[in-house]
Amino acid sequence: EALDGRVVMGRERSCDGRVVHFTGKKGEERIEVIGRRGGGVACYKGEKGAERLIRVELANGDVQLYEGERGAERMVRVDYADGKVQYYKGERGSVRLV
């Protein structure tokens, strides 16, 4: 913890192998990154309790980008490791390739 009460970086390891990194003032910590079992990470943005998924970096180098509020995030683009890019449209649960 920094002298001003800010958590520079915190980390928790869950029983399923995920590693959760968080930041924020003590008592206001918010999730920033979750390291996924088997490789890859999920990145989040937002205040504590309202963190929303914005990006998933897969172990194979592919990157999925998301938009939407917490609980309604939807994939909008995939940047593949080979340089290919695909765009998606629609609401969560009914996203389709465009």
Side-chain angles (χ1 to χ4, degrees):
E1 186 173 316
L3 294 176
D4 63 0
R6 187 174 38 93
V7 174
V8 175
M9 181 153 196
R11 183 172 96 169
E12 288 182 4
R13 183 175 299 277
S14 66
C15 59
D16 65 2
R18 292 179 298 155
V19 178
V20 179
H21 297 266
F22 52 92
T23 189
K25 290 182 179 180
K26 189 106 171 135
E28 298 175 16
E29 299 93 339
R30 60 192 179 278
I31 296 170
E32 280 197 335
V33 176
I34 297 178
R36 295 179 165 199
R37 190 170 147 196
V41 296
C43 303
Y44 293 82
K45 187 175 186 177
E47 296 303 315
K48 182 178 182 175
E51 301 97 328
R52 62 193 183 281
L53 180 65
I54 59 167
R55 178 183 180 104
V56 173
E57 300 173 7
L58 302 173
N60 67 0
D62 295 346
V63 177
Q64 301 169 338
L65 301 174
Y66 292 80
E67 291 181 355
E69 295 303 312
R70 182 181 181 147
E73 301 98 326
R74 64 201 177 282
M75 187 170 59
V76 295
R77 189 174 93 202
V78 178
D79 296 336
Y80 291 94
D82 65 5
K84 181 176 157 184
V85 177
Q86 290 184 324
Y87 294 89
Y88 294 83
K89 191 175 186 178
E91 297 304 312
R92 184 178 184 156
S94 61
V95 174
R96 63 192 180 285
L97 183 63
V98 290

